[in-house]
Amino acid sequence: METLKVERNAESEEIGNRASGVGPMANPGISLKAAGSPSWAPRLMRIRSACVYLGMNKNTFNTLVRPSIKTIPLGKRAIAFDRLELDAWAESYCRLQRPSRP
């Protein structure tokens, strides 16, 4: 069973399992993450991580995002995406989606 860590500002406490009734929806000020996972996002992300980072599935990512950003080759077959480019894409996409206010 995976142990989760609940973070509140500078404090943290361990939770035994996911079924404990504590989650992001129960208290939006608390974030759950797997114990031992970094609290920062890496600069280069593979496609699965990039999709999760932007909150979309792979098909939507390939349709909307991938044509607009550069791919970074990692070895012979793997590719990565720059997190800063993903952030810039998200900012421009959000600006285009919001209706202008008078």
Side-chain angles (χ1 to χ4, degrees):
M1 181 175 298
E2 185 175 288
T3 301
L4 296 177
K5 191 178 285 186
V6 177
E7 295 187 354
R8 291 185 191 98
N9 297 333
E11 304 170 6
S12 68
E13 58 187 65
E14 299 281 331
I15 297 178
N17 61 29
R18 294 176 191 260
S20 63
V22 175
M25 299 308 282
N27 187 345
I30 298 174
S31 66
L32 292 180
K33 67 176 191 168
S37 65
S39 61
W40 46 270
R43 176 72 187 264
L44 298 179
M45 296 183 178
R46 301 284 300 269
I47 192 163
R48 282 186 185 174
S49 299
C51 294
V52 170
Y53 184 72
L54 293 176
M56 59 181 65
N57 66 31
K58 187 176 175 181
N59 292 333
T60 305
F61 180 86
N62 285 333
T63 303
L64 294 177
V65 182
R66 198 164 175 180
S68 304
I69 62 174
K70 293 183 290 187
T71 58
I72 300 164
L74 299 175
K76 292 182 181 180
R77 296 177 58 185
I79 58 170
F81 302 95
D82 188 341
R83 178 180 43 86
L84 299 179
E85 280 192 59
L86 295 172
D87 289 339
W89 178 88
E91 285 294 322
S92 66
Y93 183 78
C94 289
R95 259 187 261 114
L96 292 174
Q97 298 302 315
R98 288 188 192 141
S100 61
R101 295 183 180 173

